[in-house]
Amino acid sequence: MDLGNVGILGNPVPKRSHGAVSHLALDIGGSLIKLVYFSRNSEYSMKDKEEKSSNESLLVSSGEKNYPLIEGSLHFAKFETSKINDCLEFIQRNQLHLSGCERLGDTASDKCIIKATGGGAYKFADLFKEKLGICLDKEDEMDCLVAGANFLLKAVHQEAFTYMDGQKEFVQIDHHDLYPYLLVNIGSGVSMIKVDGDGKFERVSGTNVGGGTFWGLGRLLTKCKNFDELLELSHQGNNRVIDMLVGDIYGGMDYTKIGLTSTTIASSFGKAISDNKELEDYKPEDISRSLLRMISNNIGQISYLNALRFGLKRIFFGGFFIRGHAYTMDTISVAVNFWSKGDAKALFLRHEGFLGALGAFVSYEKHGFNDSMVHQLVHQSPISSSHGGYKIHGSQNGELKDNESIECSVYAS
Ligand code: ADP
């Protein structure tokens, strides 16, 4: 199957040759629908059956069992939830939902089951049934976020990184020293989850001032037509035009006694009180930057306070609000660093927005679907093989392109 040239949120799916698709999983959130699915390499599928029985080197042992190694790609895609029909059409056009039917060995439409998480798995269940004839098998949202994060941190080489002063540094995670950590998922709203192990976690906090607030308020204040435009605007903006700084209050001086420089923001949007200006008098780019800074800084600070509550040193940030955006990550890192006095670290994830969808994806295994079961992803590149991850296609600087695919191998039973 070739998914080339299918436009999603303005980004074409990379052209690539596909074999059988399996394990479509969905995360239907308040703002975005995320899709993850696996496709076998078509060349491999042809040889698959013979090699399964004849080629020992393609068998991998796990516990008591031997599993054949299947090569293919993990695919990622996203759609705006408000444009759910585009998502349904994409699934239909590429027959992604049929993987759920095949797995049960029954093509009757009422037996097609697809794993789904997020509130939309409930809200849109009837729509999926009506338009595609599939039943959404609902997985808990928090379970999936944690399962997705644990999966990424254990299985993917160069997944986590720090970002400070424009410098990105990948962090090698020791699997035996992963827990406990704080997972902060910044979607429409924000969840803060203390993770102690596989399936062992507690949602310890959250905030309603999140990605939805940035986009919603930003849209009202700037008249931007889409999220990327608003984010792009923030690049050119200057928040000091709108934010009230310590220096504005102290006549240009620092407040050294408590460690505040003159450029520290004392009050986000505070200058608008005394400027005697109307909304139209401010540049949209300055508004966007100030808003982004306010929300990112606030989330960074609340996250750190929660890490402090439980003595956690590592905070992993996910969710599509981040979008790998330099200013967002920098602001969050500075907030964590400032309040912890350098003690705690903000870490970001390359597949930030797909935690829930990946959690739903790996839940196929949990529920014991045995045909083409994903047991464990393994790397196939000789370079990455020593790191216990799998090979990522795309740019070498670690940026994940929209709807990028990952080439990988899985054990299958
Ligand atoms: P949810 O599951 O709540 O939809 P996500 O992790 O998908 O959460 O993040 C949603 C947030 O991501 C939005 O509130 C917005 O801040 C941001 N975002 C990033 N890209 C887009 C986009 N193309 N359209 C809308 N929001 C986007």
Side-chain angles (χ1 to χ4, degrees), residues 9 29-32 34 80 186-188 211-212 215 227 319-321 323:
L9 289 175
S31 304
L32 299 170
K34 283 75 62 178
E80 287 171 23
I186 317 176
S188 312
W215 177 207
F227 180 86
F320 256 122
F321 166 71
R323 289 301 299 272

Side-chain angles (χ1 to χ4, degrees), residues 174-407:
D174 177 355
H175 298 182
H176 305 291
D177 187 27
L178 174 59
Y179 309 112
Y181 66 85
L182 187 72
L183 176 63
V184 178
N185 194 64
I186 317 176
S188 312
V190 186
S191 282
M192 296 176 188
I193 307 166
K194 176 176 174 276
V195 183
D196 290 300
D198 274 329
K200 282 171 66 185
F201 64 88
E202 185 189 352
R203 185 182 189 270
V204 291
S205 194
T207 163
N208 53 343
V209 180
T213 317
F214 173 64
W215 177 207
L217 207 48
R219 201 179 70 83
L220 289 177
L221 294 174
T222 66
K223 309 271 183 276
C224 273
K225 292 282 176 282
N226 65 58
F227 180 86
D228 288 337
E229 196 188 326
L230 180 66
L231 205 57
E232 190 58 38
L233 268 186
S234 72
H235 280 297
Q236 304 129 37
N238 177 6
N239 69 299
R240 293 179 190 181
V241 176
I242 300 182
D243 291 342
M244 187 189 285
L245 309 183
V246 167
D248 295 325
I249 304 169
Y250 277 74
M253 295 197 322
D254 296 339
Y255 183 1
T256 32
K257 194 175 169 200
I258 56 168
L260 300 178
T261 64
S262 63
T263 54
T264 305
I265 299 172
S267 173
S268 292
F269 287 85
K271 266 203 186 120
I273 304 168
S274 52
D275 270 354
N276 212 10
K277 289 185 190 168
E278 298 304 318
L279 181 57
E280 308 72 66
D281 300 324
Y282 292 100
K283 287 195 205 154
E285 41 272 51
D286 297 340
I287 292 174
S288 171
R289 195 162 177 102
S290 181
L291 193 57
L292 186 58
R293 181 118 187 208
M294 178 179 85
I295 291 170
S296 305
N297 188 49
N298 197 50
I299 293 170
Q301 181 172 3
I302 299 173
S303 303
Y304 165 64
L305 290 174
N306 277 289
L308 184 69
R309 262 175 86 196
F310 299 101
L312 309 172
K313 298 273 184 245
R314 281 191 297 208
I315 311 174
F316 291 99
F317 289 88
F320 256 122
F321 166 71
I322 301 172
R323 289 301 299 272
H325 191 253
Y327 192 61
T328 308
M329 296 191 293
D330 213 62
T331 306
I332 291 174
S333 296
V334 167
V336 169
N337 189 57
F338 177 83
W339 291 108
S340 72
K341 298 194 169 67
D343 212 23
K345 268 215 158 29
L347 292 127
F348 303 93
L349 300 169
R350 288 187 64 201
H351 297 84
E352 53 188 18
F354 289 100
L355 303 188
L358 279 167
F361 176 84
V362 294
S363 77
Y364 277 112
E365 179 180 34
K366 193 173 78 188
H367 291 273
F369 286 108
N370 278 326
D371 180 35
S372 290
M373 176 52 57
V374 175
H375 282 274
Q376 191 181 338
L377 285 146
V378 294
H379 42 86
Q380 60 183 31
S381 115
I383 300 159
S384 61
S385 62
S386 58
H387 299 288
Y390 58 88
K391 185 179 169 190
I392 310 266
H393 283 269
S395 54
Q396 293 303 302
N397 64 0
E399 274 169 37
L400 182 77
K401 299 271 184 292
D402 270 354
N403 307 316
E404 189 174 49
S405 304
I406 296 174
E407 197 170 286

Side-chain angles (χ1 to χ4, degrees), residues 86-157:
D86 292 353
C87 173
L88 293 168
E89 198 199 311
F90 175 81
I91 293 173
Q92 172 102 62
R93 185 161 6 121
N94 297 292
Q95 311 252 297
L96 301 180
H97 56 306
L98 297 185
S99 60
C101 306
E102 284 162 8
R103 192 167 28 257
L104 295 174
D106 187 342
T107 48
S109 57
D110 62 346
K111 292 270 180 67
C112 296
I113 295 175
I114 295 295
K115 289 280 176 197
T117 189
Y122 295 85
K123 185 174 173 182
F124 299 113
D126 290 347
L127 187 68
F128 273 83
K129 181 84 184 143
E130 184 197 319
K131 294 275 167 90
L132 298 175
I134 55 178
C135 291
L136 298 182
D137 189 10
K138 298 163 198 73
E139 287 290 321
D140 177 76
E141 193 175 337
M142 297 296 131
D143 283 345
C144 286
L145 283 176
V146 172
N150 284 344
F151 167 79
L152 286 171
L153 290 167
K154 288 178 191 169
V156 185
H157 174 51

